[in-house]
Coordinates of all heavy atoms in Angstrom, one line a residue:
R1 N 0.8 -1.2 0.0 CA 0.0 0.0 0.0 C 0.8 1.3 0.0 O 0.3 2.4 0.0 CB -0.9 0.0 1.2 CG -1.9 -1.2 1.2 CD -2.9 -1.1 2.4 NE -2.1 -1.3 3.7 CZ -1.8 -2.5 4.1 NH1 -2.1 -3.6 3.5 NH2 -1.1 -2.6 5.3
G2 N 2.2 1.1 0.0 CA 3.1 2.2 0.0 C 3.4 2.7 1.4 O 4.2 3.7 1.5
N3 N 3.0 2.1 2.5 CA 3.4 2.4 3.8 C 4.9 2.1 4.0 O 5.3 1.0 3.6 CB 2.5 1.7 4.9 CG 1.1 2.1 4.7 OD1 0.7 3.2 4.6 ND2 0.2 1.0 4.7
V4 N 5.6 3.0 4.7 CA 7.0 2.8 4.8 C 7.4 2.9 6.3 O 6.8 3.7 7.1 CB 7.8 3.8 4.0 CG1 9.3 3.6 4.2 CG2 7.4 3.7 2.6
A5 N 8.4 2.1 6.7 CA 9.0 2.2 8.1 C 10.5 1.9 8.0 O 10.9 1.1 7.2 CB 8.3 1.2 9.0
V6 N 11.2 2.6 8.9 CA 12.7 2.4 8.9 C 13.1 2.3 10.4 O 12.6 3.0 11.2 CB 13.4 3.6 8.2 CG1 14.9 3.4 8.3 CG2 13.0 3.7 6.8
H7 N 14.1 1.4 10.6 CA 14.7 1.3 11.9 C 16.2 1.5 11.7 O 16.8 0.8 10.9 CB 14.5 -0.1 12.6 CG 15.4 -0.3 13.7 ND1 15.2 0.3 15.0 CD2 16.5 -1.1 13.8 CE1 16.1 -0.1 15.8 NE2 16.9 -1.0 15.1
T8 N 16.8 2.5 12.4 CA 18.2 2.7 12.4 C 18.6 2.6 13.9 O 18.3 3.5 14.7 CB 18.6 4.0 11.9 OG1 18.2 4.1 10.5 CG2 20.1 4.2 11.9
G9 N 19.3 1.5 14.2 CA 19.7 1.3 15.6 C 20.7 2.4 16.1 O 21.5 2.9 15.3
E10 N 20.7 2.7 17.4 CA 21.5 3.7 17.9 C 23.0 3.4 17.8 O 23.9 4.3 18.0 CB 21.1 4.1 19.4 CG 21.3 2.9 20.4 CD 20.1 2.1 20.5 OE1 19.2 2.1 19.6 OE2 20.0 1.3 21.5
E11 N 23.4 2.1 17.6 CA 24.8 1.8 17.5 C 25.2 1.6 16.1 O 26.3 1.1 15.8 CB 25.1 0.5 18.3 CG 24.9 0.8 19.8 CD 25.3 -0.4 20.7 OE1 25.8 -1.4 20.1 OE2 25.0 -0.4 21.9
C12 N 24.4 1.9 15.1 CA 24.8 1.9 13.7 C 25.9 3.0 13.5 O 25.8 4.1 14.1 CB 23.6 2.2 12.8 SG 22.4 0.9 12.6
V13 N 26.9 2.7 12.8 CA 28.0 3.6 12.7 C 27.7 4.8 11.8 O 27.2 4.7 10.7 CB 29.3 2.8 12.1 CG1 30.5 3.7 12.1 CG2 29.6 1.5 12.9
D14 N 28.1 6.0 12.3 CA 27.9 7.2 11.5 C 28.8 7.2 10.3 O 29.8 6.6 10.3 CB 28.2 8.4 12.4 CG 27.0 8.8 13.3 OD1 25.9 8.6 12.9 OD2 27.3 9.4 14.3
F15 N 28.3 7.9 9.3 CA 27.0 8.5 9.2 C 25.9 7.5 8.9 O 26.0 6.8 7.9 CB 27.1 9.6 8.1 CG 28.0 10.7 8.5 CD1 29.3 10.8 7.9 CD2 27.7 11.7 9.4 CE1 30.2 11.8 8.3 CE2 28.6 12.7 9.8 CZ 29.8 12.8 9.2
A16 N 24.9 7.6 9.7 CA 23.8 6.7 9.5 C 22.4 7.4 9.7 O 22.3 8.3 10.5 CB 23.8 5.5 10.5
G17 N 21.5 7.1 8.8 CA 20.2 7.7 8.9 C 19.3 7.3 7.8 O 19.6 6.5 7.0
S18 N 18.2 8.0 7.6 CA 17.2 7.6 6.6 C 16.3 8.8 6.2 O 16.2 9.8 6.9 CB 16.3 6.5 7.1 OG 15.5 6.9 8.2
H19 N 15.7 8.6 5.1 CA 14.7 9.6 4.6 C 13.5 8.9 4.1 O 13.6 8.0 3.2 CB 15.3 10.4 3.5 CG 14.4 11.5 3.0 ND1 14.8 12.9 3.0 CD2 13.2 11.5 2.4 CE1 13.8 13.6 2.5 NE2 12.8 12.8 2.2
I20 N 12.3 9.2 4.6 CA 11.1 8.6 4.2 C 10.3 9.5 3.3 O 10.1 10.7 3.7 CB 10.2 8.2 5.4 CG1 10.9 7.0 6.2 CG2 8.8 7.7 4.9 CD1 10.1 6.6 7.4
G21 N 10.1 9.1 2.1 CA 9.3 9.9 1.1 C 8.1 9.2 0.7 O 7.7 8.1 1.2
R22 N 7.4 9.8 -0.2 CA 6.2 9.1 -0.7 C 6.5 7.8 -1.5 O 7.2 7.9 -2.4 CB 5.4 10.1 -1.6 CG 4.1 9.5 -2.2 CD 3.3 10.5 -3.0 NE 2.1 10.0 -3.5 CZ 1.2 10.7 -4.3 NH1 1.5 11.9 -4.6 NH2 0.1 10.1 -4.7
D23 N 6.0 6.7 -1.0 CA 6.2 5.4 -1.7 C 7.6 5.0 -1.7 O 8.0 4.1 -2.5 CB 5.6 5.4 -3.1 CG 4.1 5.4 -3.1 OD1 3.5 4.7 -2.2 OD2 3.5 6.0 -4.0
H24 N 8.5 5.5 -0.8 CA 9.8 5.0 -0.8 C 10.5 5.4 0.5 O 10.1 6.3 1.2 CB 10.6 5.6 -2.0 CG 11.0 7.0 -1.9 ND1 10.1 8.0 -2.2 CD2 12.1 7.7 -1.5 CE1 10.6 9.2 -2.0 NE2 11.9 9.0 -1.6
A25 N 11.6 4.8 0.7 CA 12.5 5.2 1.8 C 14.0 4.9 1.4 O 14.2 3.9 0.8 CB 12.2 4.4 3.1
C26 N 14.9 5.8 1.8 CA 16.3 5.6 1.5 C 17.0 5.6 2.9 O 16.7 6.4 3.8 CB 16.8 6.7 0.7 SG 15.9 6.9 -0.9
A27 N 18.1 4.8 3.0 CA 18.8 4.8 4.3 C 20.2 4.3 4.0 O 20.5 3.6 3.0 CB 18.1 3.9 5.3
G28 N 21.1 4.6 5.0 CA 22.4 4.1 4.9 C 23.1 4.2 6.3 O 22.7 4.8 7.2
N29 N 24.3 3.5 6.4 CA 25.1 3.5 7.6 C 26.5 3.4 7.2 O 26.8 2.9 6.1 CB 24.6 2.4 8.5 CG 24.8 1.0 8.0 OD1 25.9 0.4 8.1 ND2 23.8 0.5 7.2
L30 N 27.4 3.8 8.0 CA 28.9 3.8 7.8 C 29.1 4.6 6.4 O 29.9 4.1 5.6 CB 29.4 2.4 7.7 CG 31.0 2.3 7.8 CD1 31.5 2.9 9.0 CD2 31.4 0.8 7.7
L31 N 28.4 5.7 6.2 CA 28.6 6.4 5.0 C 29.6 7.5 5.1 O 30.0 7.9 6.2 CB 27.2 7.0 4.6 CG 26.1 6.0 4.4 CD1 24.8 6.7 3.8 CD2 26.5 4.9 3.4
A32 N 30.0 8.1 4.0 CA 31.1 9.1 3.9 C 30.6 10.5 4.3 O 31.4 11.3 4.6 CB 31.7 9.1 2.5
A33 N 29.3 10.7 4.3 CA 28.8 12.0 4.6 C 27.4 11.9 5.1 O 26.7 11.0 4.8 CB 28.9 12.9 3.3
P34 N 26.9 12.9 5.8 CA 25.5 12.9 6.3 C 24.6 13.3 5.1 O 25.0 14.0 4.2 CB 25.5 14.0 7.4 CG 26.6 14.9 7.0 CD 27.6 14.1 6.4
G35 N 23.3 12.9 5.2 CA 22.3 13.4 4.2 C 22.4 12.7 2.9 O 21.7 13.1 2.0
I36 N 23.2 11.6 2.7 CA 23.2 10.9 1.5 C 21.8 10.3 1.2 O 21.4 10.3 0.0 CB 24.3 9.8 1.6 CG1 25.7 10.4 1.5 CG2 24.1 8.7 0.5 CD1 26.8 9.4 1.6
W37 N 21.1 9.9 2.2 CA 19.8 9.4 2.0 C 18.8 10.4 1.5 O 17.9 10.1 0.7 CB 19.3 8.8 3.4 CG 19.6 9.7 4.5 CD1 19.0 10.7 5.0 CD2 20.8 9.5 5.3 NE1 19.6 11.3 6.1 CE2 20.8 10.6 6.3 CE3 21.9 8.6 5.4 CZ2 21.8 10.7 7.3 CZ3 22.9 8.8 6.3 CH2 22.8 9.8 7.3
D38 N 19.1 11.7 1.8 CA 18.2 12.8 1.3 C 18.5 12.9 -0.2 O 17.5 13.1 -1.0 CB 18.5 14.1 2.0 CG 18.2 14.0 3.5 OD1 17.2 13.4 3.8 OD2 19.0 14.6 4.3
S39 N 19.7 12.9 -0.6 CA 20.1 13.0 -2.1 C 19.5 11.9 -2.9 O 18.9 12.1 -4.0 CB 21.6 13.0 -2.2 OG 22.2 14.1 -1.6
M40 N 19.5 10.7 -2.3 CA 18.9 9.5 -3.0 C 17.4 9.7 -3.2 O 16.9 9.4 -4.3 CB 19.2 8.2 -2.1 CG 20.6 7.8 -2.0 SD 20.8 6.5 -0.9 CE 19.9 5.2 -1.7
S41 N 16.7 10.2 -2.2 CA 15.3 10.4 -2.2 C 15.0 11.4 -3.3 O 14.0 11.2 -4.1 CB 14.8 10.8 -0.9 OG 13.4 11.1 -1.0
R42 N 15.7 12.5 -3.3 CA 15.4 13.6 -4.3 C 15.6 13.0 -5.7 O 14.8 13.3 -6.6 CB 16.3 14.8 -4.1 CG 16.0 15.6 -2.9 CD 16.7 16.9 -2.9 NE 18.1 16.8 -2.8 CZ 18.8 16.7 -1.6 NH1 18.1 16.9 -0.5 NH2 20.1 16.6 -1.5
S43 N 16.6 12.2 -6.0 CA 16.9 11.7 -7.3 C 15.8 10.7 -7.7 O 15.4 10.6 -8.8 CB 18.2 11.0 -7.3 OG 19.3 12.0 -7.2
F44 N 15.4 9.9 -6.7 CA 14.3 8.9 -7.0 C 13.0 9.6 -7.4 O 12.4 9.3 -8.4 CB 14.0 8.0 -5.8 CG 12.9 7.0 -6.0 CD1 13.1 5.9 -6.8 CD2 11.7 7.3 -5.5 CE1 12.1 5.0 -7.0 CE2 10.6 6.4 -5.7 CZ 10.8 5.3 -6.4
E45 N 12.7 10.7 -6.7 CA 11.5 11.4 -7.0 C 11.5 12.2 -8.3 O 10.5 12.3 -9.0 CB 11.2 12.4 -5.9 CG 10.8 11.7 -4.6 CD 10.5 12.7 -3.4 OE1 11.0 13.8 -3.5 OE2 9.8 12.3 -2.5
A46 N 12.7 12.6 -8.7 CA 12.9 13.4 -9.9 C 13.1 12.5 -11.2 O 12.8 13.0 -12.3 CB 14.1 14.3 -9.8
A47 N 13.5 11.3 -11.0 CA 13.8 10.4 -12.1 C 12.6 10.0 -12.9 O 11.5 9.9 -12.3 CB 14.6 9.2 -11.6
E48 N 12.7 9.7 -14.1 CA 11.6 9.2 -15.0 C 12.0 7.8 -15.4 O 13.1 7.4 -15.3 CB 11.4 10.2 -16.2 CG 11.0 11.6 -15.8 CD 10.8 12.5 -17.0 OE1 11.1 12.1 -18.1 OE2 10.3 13.6 -16.8

């Protein structure tokens, strides 16, 4: 139905986090920079 949920444990290695958008969610951990999940979401929404 497009409902989304994300769990990021408090001991996941930074940078770790997620972005929930309409009909999708992006997340990562042990990443090189914060906000990578936001960039992924924007690209998914803009892509055709």
Side-chain angles (χ1 to χ4, degrees):
R1 297 180 295 278
N3 300 311
V4 180
V6 179
H7 166 74
T8 299
E10 63 271 18
E11 292 183 11
C12 288
V13 184
D14 276 333
F15 295 99
S18 63
H19 184 120
I20 294 178
R22 181 177 180 180
D23 286 327
H24 73 279
C26 304
N29 61 91
L30 194 59
L31 301 186
I36 286 175
W37 39 87
D38 298 321
S39 297
M40 294 173 65
S41 176
R42 286 192 296 269
S43 292
F44 177 78
E45 290 179 337
E48 298 180 351

